[in-house]
Amino acid sequence: MEPNFLQDLVAKFDIGEYPADEQHAILDEMSQIIMESVLTRAIPLLPVEAAIEYDKMLAADADITEIFTFLQMSVPGFDEIVAEEVATLEKMLKLAKG
Amino acid sequence: MALESTPKTERMMSPDEAAEAIKHLKSIPEKMKLLEDQMRAIDEKGAQGNNAAEHARLGEVYSQFEIMKRSVAETVAPAEEASEPKAPAMYSEQAASQSRFGDGSAQAPDYTLAQQERILNKAIAAEEKSKARNAAEEEAAHIPPEEPQAISFEGVPTITGDEKLDDILREGMNNPSPANPDADIANAGIVTPPVIPSSVGNAAPTQVNPQPPVQPVIATPVQPAAVVAAPAAQPAITAAPTMANPGNSNPLNAAPTAVTTVSEDPKVLEARRIAEKIKTHPHGTMALDEEEEKFRRENYDLLSQEMIKLNTPAKAPEREPTEAELHSEKLQRTREDYIKALFNSRKNPGVQDDKEYLKSLEDKYNQNLDEGIAMIRKESTDPKLLLDSMLDERRAYNKEMRAVQIEDVRNRIAKTLEKAKNTAGNVMLYSILLTGKLIGDGIDLARKGMSKLMSGNGLEKLKKTFAEMKAKSGDPDDKTPWYDKFVTPVGKRPFEQGNKEQQEAKKKADAEKRSAELEKKKTDNGAPKRSPEEIAKGQMKDFLATAFASKTEGKQLSPKEEKEASKAWETLKNIPLHMFMEPEKADWGKNKATGTPAAHSVNEYSTAQQGLHGKLKDAYEEAVQRQKVDEKTTLEEFIKTSIQNGSLK
């Protein structure tokens, strides 16, 4: 990731006041939470057939990236879910910021 | 001790008297039990003042009984058996108990009182020995060597005073109604205390455990004061710690308050005592005597409850919850309510009542969230604390969201999260961002990021980058994840890769390397091999052709083709058709609102356009001529209409 991108993330989530190390830690943590939120919302929306396929992928020890790509392909409105989850976290952090 | 004749001056015992004496001796355990209860009752009251004196008196009697019981069962008979030559058959245990006195019909020889008492003792001892043997057989595997030693009574001063036993026997003979133990006790000069259920905690060890290890202080008849003093001294010890520690896990040590004492059922107290014994004794239930075992069997549930209480960890002293704790509780409740409603609402979309209800719960949840933030702010000015709280809240929310799912789904999520755990969060986030799924109307962050990533001639770079990605992922021999081109491997932070100058230098070096590689790949006739971009175009063309074929001609696809076609179709179906057909006229290179690169790569569009089936192009041209398409008509709509009107077959 380019430094510009990092700056964007820091600006977006308004965490510029923290030292660089903490910024990185916060971003990592937020990434984890977004990922967790997206998976929690997206997986229940898998259509039945896709869910069967998905279970097979899990059993076959598929790579997480493959899994994620599959979800993107199979879950209707996946983009919106991702967008909403990022936006929600952003909103919450802004709320906390006051 | 030999069965010697005692002087003939002693009064002889008649068979009836002897039988009474036996009965009396046999009633001793019952009397002891009653005494225990009475002493416990006194303990419950605190053993102060008159109670203490009464307790002491009872203790004295108890200790006498204890000595007597032990003497009878353990000292006299075993000692005789061990030291004496074998008695004649007529004095065998059986003979003594049955022929001589059992039925009272046998001739009563002229024995002295001492001799008769020994015979009686032997009879009792035989009975007890038989019981002990049975118990020992059961417990043999569990009892360590120390236990039998306790029964052997070695080292304990032998009761030398025959007169002691005389007294006992006399007492038995003076109480003509041994069947009524209460009367015996009353006759023995003991004032029966009010029957108040008692706890066992304050009882002296021997009272708690009718089969205790040897405790010489109790067995020594010359020190009755010590025995008596023990129970009286106990209350001060037991009451104090439990008052200081209301959460004492051991209910037997709980402070015997007047309220609990009076209200508790003696059965409960007995159950508690036995439970404590089971818990503390190394042999557990094996340590119970006959009566206790009987009680256990008859009151199994009660005993179980007491055992559970004993095994329940001590609770922290109760205190008033803080404002923050109360709020946290409230927030949790509203979060749960909201998520449950949300879950139901998603299952049954469109139900207006549900929507309104959901909205009300969402408002409540948000209100609580706001209040929580305000409270934290009041407590601390540290912004990190608030930020952490919000992240925690989001985690809790996710957790709750998972909890409401059905089991299959929960498992699916759990397995996925487990896999994702080993993937650094940033890699996942970047992969989300870089797959392009966030680019577009959703998140301007991604747009900005990609735009800046491709700073300068961004569009061209973007085009090339995606082409490389496609080529990379399309090469069956290349196992490198595509995102490695963009995302630093797990464990390394991308922004730790050096400063801007270093990165520029690295980029330049990479570009030169790629040119050199391309040059090397030239064929013998000088024509370059297909570049990654060309390969990507070819693949995309194939994908689209396949997708289109499947949509328009009903072609049977292989599973792999189906997958590719579906993917391509999902990507392209909603894109306005004219962007494929007349790319030079479409302003699709930039997002009109932001001026940044659009969601989908230039490359994808151009290759898509190339890849469209000839029939589609013909249909399009025809439709344009008939003015049936406009800027908004999507690929999907167009194909459907074309098939319906027959322009596309």
Side-chain angles (χ1 to χ4, degrees):
Chain A
M1 187 162 60
E2 296 286 325
N4 282 345
F5 198 15
L6 171 67
Q7 284 164 17
D8 281 345
L9 287 170
V10 168
K12 180 172 181 65
F13 291 108
D14 201 8
I15 53 173
E17 67 198 80
Y18 299 103
D21 277 359
E22 273 195 52
Q23 287 177 5
H24 301 161
I26 293 168
L27 282 178
D28 275 355
E29 203 171 353
M30 288 193 312
S31 304
Q32 290 281 5
I33 291 175
I34 290 172
M35 179 192 68
E36 192 182 300
S37 307
V38 168
L39 291 174
T40 302
R41 278 187 63 187
I43 289 172
L45 300 178
L46 274 170
V48 178
E49 285 181 13
I52 295 168
E53 185 69 21
Y54 188 77
D55 286 343
K56 284 181 192 165
M57 286 179 75
L58 287 175
D61 207 22
D63 177 70
I64 187 68
T65 311
E66 286 175 58
I67 289 172
F68 216 86
T69 307
F70 182 85
L71 286 173
Q72 285 177 317
M73 278 173 54
S74 313
V75 175
F78 185 86
D79 298 2
E80 287 74 23
I81 291 174
V82 176
E84 280 172 20
E85 288 305 321
V86 175
T88 302
L89 194 66
E90 189 187 354
K91 191 179 152 194
M92 287 179 77
L93 295 184
K94 276 186 181 158
L95 202 68
K97 197 86 180 169
Chain B
M1 190 182 297
L3 272 176
E4 296 172 283
S5 296
T6 47
K8 294 278 178 186
T9 51
E10 283 188 43
R11 187 179 70 85
M12 296 296 143
M13 228 179 173
S14 73
D16 287 343
E17 285 173 336
E20 280 301 319
I22 286 179
K23 276 185 190 173
H24 176 70
L25 286 171
K26 283 185 174 178
S27 72
I28 285 174
E30 278 179 23
K31 289 176 182 172
M32 289 174 76
K33 179 78 178 55
L34 276 168
L35 279 168
E36 277 177 25
D37 290 342
Q38 288 164 350
M39 289 166 78
R40 265 186 235 129
I42 294 169
D43 291 340
E44 290 281 334
K45 289 191 290 185
Q48 289 168 355
N50 292 338
N51 286 336
E54 195 175 332
H55 189 285
R57 191 166 61 246
L58 289 174
E60 190 173 6
V61 178
Y62 185 91
S63 65
Q64 292 297 319
F65 276 131
E66 179 114 78
I67 292 161
M68 189 169 70
K69 187 181 170 189
R70 284 172 180 277
S71 304
V72 165
E74 298 168 0
T75 310
V76 180
E80 284 177 356
E81 274 189 2
S83 62
E84 287 176 5
K86 207 158 181 71
M90 65 176 292
Y91 295 130
S92 69
E93 290 164 4
Q94 200 176 3
S97 61
Q98 290 178 0
S99 304
R100 295 283 165 192
F101 307 104
D103 57 9
S105 60
Q107 288 178 353
D110 290 340
Y111 290 129
T112 64
L113 186 61
Q115 282 174 321
Q116 289 179 46
E117 100 196 6
R118 285 188 194 113
I119 293 167
L120 285 172
N121 291 341
K122 285 191 83 174
I124 293 165
E127 193 176 331
E128 292 208 7
K129 196 176 171 186
S130 169
K131 279 184 192 171
R133 198 182 300 120
N134 291 340
E137 279 171 9
E138 284 176 14
E139 295 182 13
H142 306 283
I143 297 178
E146 290 76 20
E147 291 288 320
Q149 279 172 14
I151 298 165
S152 78
F153 227 60
E154 272 183 22
V156 176
T158 307
I159 295 176
T160 54
D162 285 341
E163 57 286 349
K164 238 338 170 213
L165 288 173
D166 285 346
D167 291 344
I168 293 161
L169 288 171
R170 264 196 294 280
E171 184 193 330
M173 285 179 279
N174 291 336
N175 292 305
S177 55
N180 181 356
D182 287 341
D184 288 349
I185 291 166
N187 289 341
I190 298 164
V191 179
T192 308
V195 183
I196 296 172
S198 59
S199 89
V200 190
N202 294 338
T206 51
Q207 292 165 318
V208 173
N209 185 356
Q211 292 183 331
V214 172
Q215 297 191 23
V217 67
I218 294 168
T220 306
V222 292
Q223 293 178 326
V227 180
V228 173
Q234 293 270 344
I237 299 165
T238 52
T242 48
M243 289 300 282
N245 179 14
N248 195 330
S249 64
N250 181 354
L252 295 178
N253 289 334
T257 59
V259 176
T260 54
T261 304
V262 173
S263 62
E264 282 203 276
D265 187 338
K267 227 176 187 183
V268 174
L269 295 168
E270 179 64 1
R272 195 174 299 163
R273 183 186 72 77
I274 294 175
E276 169 73 359
K277 185 175 176 182
I278 293 170
K279 185 178 160 61
T280 54
H281 199 284
H283 301 152
T285 51
M286 296 295 284
L288 299 183
D289 63 25
E290 213 169 288
E291 279 188 20
E292 289 166 338
E293 181 56 33
K294 191 178 167 208
F295 182 91
R296 188 174 79 93
R297 274 194 237 108
E298 288 171 357
N299 301 280
Y300 188 80
D301 288 345
L302 186 61
L303 201 65
S304 299
Q305 281 172 21
E306 291 303 318
M307 287 299 287
I308 290 167
K309 280 183 200 166
L310 281 180
N311 291 323
T312 303
K315 283 182 186 172
E318 285 194 10
R319 58 172 175 78
E320 287 295 313
T322 62
E323 197 187 350
E325 284 169 341
L326 284 173
H327 184 269
S328 172
E329 184 71 27
K330 203 165 76 172
L331 181 62
Q332 189 183 330
R333 265 204 313 279
T334 47
R335 188 198 304 129
E336 282 171 10
D337 291 347
Y338 169 56
I339 286 173
K340 276 175 196 160
L342 188 63
F343 179 71
N344 289 331
S345 167
R346 281 178 183 161
K347 274 202 304 191
N348 309 303
V351 181
Q352 191 55 35
D353 282 355
D354 284 0
K355 280 184 186 170
E356 285 166 12
Y357 178 60
L358 179 66
K359 183 74 178 67
S360 70
L361 292 177
E362 186 182 5
D363 290 347
K364 265 190 197 170
Y365 171 62
N366 285 334
Q367 188 191 336
N368 273 312
L369 207 57
D370 288 344
E371 284 172 10
I373 292 168
M375 283 176 71
I376 296 172
R377 231 178 242 135
K378 213 164 62 179
E379 295 286 323
S380 169
T381 52
D382 180 6
K384 184 71 167 48
L385 183 67
L386 210 50
L387 187 140
D388 286 343
S389 300
M390 296 311 269
L391 294 180
D392 284 346
E393 172 55 29
R394 203 60 195 159
R395 274 194 209 95
Y397 181 95
N398 286 338
K399 195 175 169 188
E400 197 63 48
M401 188 63 104
R402 288 194 292 277
V404 295
Q405 306 293 339
I406 60 168
E407 195 181 353
D408 281 357
V409 173
R410 273 208 311 273
N411 289 340
R412 213 167 276 146
I413 296 172
K415 283 181 189 165
T416 312
L417 288 177
E418 185 61 30
K419 274 182 183 293
K421 206 166 67 177
N422 299 323
T423 308
N426 58 352
V427 172
M428 185 51 68
L429 180 61
Y430 308 153
S431 73
I432 294 172
L433 299 175
L434 291 175
T435 50
K437 287 294 179 186
L438 295 189
I439 307 173
D441 296 333
I443 299 202
D444 62 346
L445 162 70
R447 271 201 297 271
K448 280 185 194 167
M450 291 299 281
S451 171
K452 287 188 178 175
L453 186 67
M454 306 298 158
S455 57
N457 52 349
L459 201 59
E460 280 306 304
K461 268 191 163 180
L462 185 66
K463 192 175 172 181
K464 196 174 175 185
T465 306
F466 271 94
E468 283 177 356
M469 282 163 58
K470 295 291 176 191
K472 197 84 180 161
S473 62
D475 184 354
D477 296 327
D478 190 346
K479 303 292 181 196
T480 313
W482 63 266
Y483 57 79
D484 271 7
K485 298 279 299 175
F486 304 93
V487 181
T488 311
V490 178
K492 284 187 182 176
R493 290 181 186 283
F495 28 80
E496 288 169 354
Q497 301 301 304
N499 58 31
K500 199 170 182 181
E501 285 75 17
Q502 286 171 323
Q503 286 163 359
E504 288 298 331
K506 188 175 181 297
K507 275 184 199 167
K508 199 177 169 188
D510 287 346
E512 284 171 2
K513 196 178 161 189
R514 277 196 298 275
S515 297
E517 281 173 356
L518 194 63
E519 200 63 28
K520 264 174 72 178
K521 283 180 184 172
K522 281 188 175 178
T523 56
D524 291 339
N525 63 13
K529 280 185 177 176
R530 291 202 303 167
S531 67
E533 188 173 346
E534 286 168 330
I535 295 168
K537 276 186 183 178
Q539 285 176 342
M540 184 58 83
K541 192 175 174 181
D542 291 344
F543 290 169
L544 290 171
T546 315
F548 181 67
S550 72
K551 292 290 170 191
T552 58
E553 296 176 351
K555 183 186 158 190
Q556 280 298 107
L557 301 176
S558 70
K560 191 182 173 191
E561 283 174 331
E562 180 70 50
K563 196 174 172 184
E564 289 168 348
S566 297
K567 187 178 177 183
W569 178 250
E570 288 298 319
T571 307
L572 299 172
K573 68 180 181 184
N574 294 322
I575 294 171
L577 184 67
H578 79 104
M579 294 174 78
F580 296 99
M581 298 303 171
E582 301 170 295
E584 67 283 354
K585 290 183 188 172
D587 184 18
W588 51 268
K590 288 187 177 182
N591 182 301
K592 284 177 186 171
T594 62
T596 52
H600 300 278
S601 79
V602 175
N603 198 46
E604 279 180 357
Y605 286 142
S606 61
T607 50
Q609 191 264 338
Q610 288 175 34
L612 286 174
H613 198 279
K615 276 187 182 181
L616 179 62
K617 194 164 187 178
D618 293 342
Y620 175 70
E621 283 170 357
E622 195 182 333
V624 170
Q625 282 174 8
R626 292 180 192 169
Q627 295 183 326
K628 286 193 172 179
V629 289
D630 59 25
E631 282 196 353
K632 289 180 182 172
T633 309
T634 64
L635 178 61
E636 186 177 36
E637 288 165 353
F638 178 69
I639 289 174
K640 275 184 188 169
T641 315
S642 299
I643 290 172
Q644 280 167 3
N645 66 25
S647 62
L648 193 65
K649 293 176 182 173

